[in-house]
Amino acid sequence: MSIATMVAELAKGMVVSTEVFVLTLLFSLPLGLILSFGRMSAHAPLCFLTKIYISLMRGTPFMLQLIVVYFAPFYIFGIKISAGYRFTAVILAFVLNYAAYFAEIYRAGIESIPVGQYEAAKVLGYNKVQTFFKIILPQVVKRILPPVTNETITLVKDTSLAFVLAVTEMFTVAKQIAAKEASMMPLMAAGAFYYIFNLVVAMVMERLEKKMNYFR
Amino acid sequence: MNFVEISHMKKGFDGLHVLKDISLSVKEGEVVSIIGPSGSGKSTLLRCATMLEKMDGGSLSYLGKKAVWEENGKCVYASRAEMKEIHKQFGLVFQNFNLFPHYTVLKNITDAPVSVDKVAAAEAKERAETLLEKLGLADKRDAYPYQLSGGQKQRVSIARALALQPKVLFFDEPTSALDPELTGEVLKVIKELAAEHMTMIIVTHEMQFARELSDRIIFMEQGIIQAEGTPDEIFNCENERVREFIGKFQG
Ligand SMILES: Nc1ncnc2c1ncn2[C@@H]1O[C@H](COP(=O)(O)OP(=O)(O)OP(=O)(O)O)[C@@H](O)[C@H]1O
Ligand SMILES: [Mg+2]
């Protein structure tokens, strides 16, 4: 296999890894916020359900979750699983899992905002939606950036777990080439890819943190 | 007309009766100070009056409009729409300011008028600038709260409350979180407001200030109003508890 084909194969894998990364963030960040509302809800059954959900997502192996999400339509609903569902299942499992982690990060952030902020907003006449989006959320975002950065970096590396459902992302490709060519090089290249990806993630997040430094 | 009318207000926290039976009317332009020992329920009274806490009993109205009343032994609150109107009548200044840290001074003052009262942005800005000028904060309009001293923060929070043009302003120990050298600048602002006949209800431990400024002083203890009168009446009061309390502050 020529270097050029190797690079081309690896690049294809990279695109898949990047897609998993972007789609997971795109959906799990808002879903996490919604889950955190459930978790903090005064409605006891709702709070209990989200608590159970989060504890299951955090307490069981992610590989198992991937497999469950993939096979659930067949075993539970008897729906025949099409090949195209693989990628969807990967995204679904990632989103469901990461949303649980993000929910707890949001919750910690929201609960760290002093009640005085809510009270000031209430006396000034802001309604609940305005209070949350105008007053609380910007302060929450600033506080949760460091833990969100951590999760995001973990996510970059976790994208390699898509192989469980035979979605050929970057790392799978590298392993296959490495086995065929009896060379470590593809694996090293994969390592470099994750590392550089995470450098970029860290840089972007640092920028965001700096941007939020205008207030304290 | 009474701007604020509180009658038989009651409030408890799981079995602890914090406000036992408080009745208080405040007329237009009147300045009322509330004094009393820690834990006597002063903050709770203000928090019930500004609807940060739900009252257990009694009634409350602003400028003749009923906000809370009792029906079959339970407190009923006015409808959402009515409450919105009532809410515009009062403002509250907190002990620890509670400014919005992510907004500049100007934005802290203009945001509520714009997003709550739907005042035009230009007009809100004009109001804010007039207030900042008046409170000696003109050079701070673009600063963020963390860049301000405590006294400046409290003045901004007063401006923020005033920007909504309330008819009544409540203060809960507005200078208690400030270094002694900074209390003066805040008290001066409150005095200026009093001179303009702003209706104010002020919880304070600044006895001299209360004496100079108030039309009426209320002494609260254990959830009831123990004594009430003009500053002279209170400072020369026969009531043992009042004398003892005031004595402590006069050293
Ligand atoms: N949310 C609450 N839950 C339970 N108890 C409360 C609550 N708020 C106030 N209390 C109690 O009510 C009593 C009166 O409190 P309040 O804050 O009104 O006193 P205060 O007169 O303002 O005192 P201070 O001068 O120290 O500010 C206190 O015993 C306090 O512990
Ligand atoms: Mg108090």
Side-chain angles (χ1 to χ4, degrees), chain A residues 1-23:
Chain A
M1 192 185 278
S2 73
I3 298 281
T5 12
M6 252 197 258
V7 171
E9 289 291 308
L10 284 172
K12 259 191 256 167
M14 266 183 224
V15 171
V16 176
S17 298
T18 311
E19 278 173 352
V20 173
F21 173 81
V22 170
L23 290 172

Side-chain angles (χ1 to χ4, degrees), chain A residues 68-198:
Chain A
V68 168
V69 168
Y70 183 62
F71 288 108
F74 178 74
Y75 283 108
I76 300 176
F77 306 108
I79 302 167
K80 198 169 162 288
I81 297 166
S82 68
Y85 179 58
R86 280 180 195 288
F87 185 73
T88 314
V90 164
I91 300 300
L92 197 58
F94 268 93
V95 168
L96 291 176
N97 179 278
Y98 271 80
Y101 282 92
F102 286 137
E104 286 298 273
I105 292 177
Y106 282 121
R107 181 172 71 93
I110 292 170
E111 286 178 350
S112 75
I113 304 297
V115 283
Q117 292 289 304
Y118 291 92
E119 294 184 343
K122 179 154 192 254
V123 173
L124 292 168
Y126 289 91
N127 63 34
K128 288 224 166 84
V129 176
Q130 287 172 326
T131 302
F132 185 74
F133 286 101
K134 296 187 71 124
I135 310 298
I136 305 301
L137 193 58
Q139 301 182 53
V140 169
V141 168
K142 181 183 168 73
R143 290 183 192 204
I144 66 172
L145 276 179
V148 165
T149 305
N150 270 340
E151 281 311 312
T152 311
I153 285 173
T154 307
L155 171 62
V156 171
K157 294 176 286 182
D158 273 358
T159 54
S160 61
L161 287 168
F163 86 89
V164 174
L165 298 187
V167 166
T168 43
E169 43 58 62
M170 172 79 187
F171 199 72
T172 313
V173 177
K175 261 197 315 190
Q176 285 166 354
I177 303 176
K180 216 186 298 167
E181 303 287 313
S183 154
M184 281 288 281
M185 275 314 289
L187 289 173
M188 290 296 131
F193 164 74
Y194 290 113
Y195 183 70
I196 291 167
F197 199 142
N198 271 329

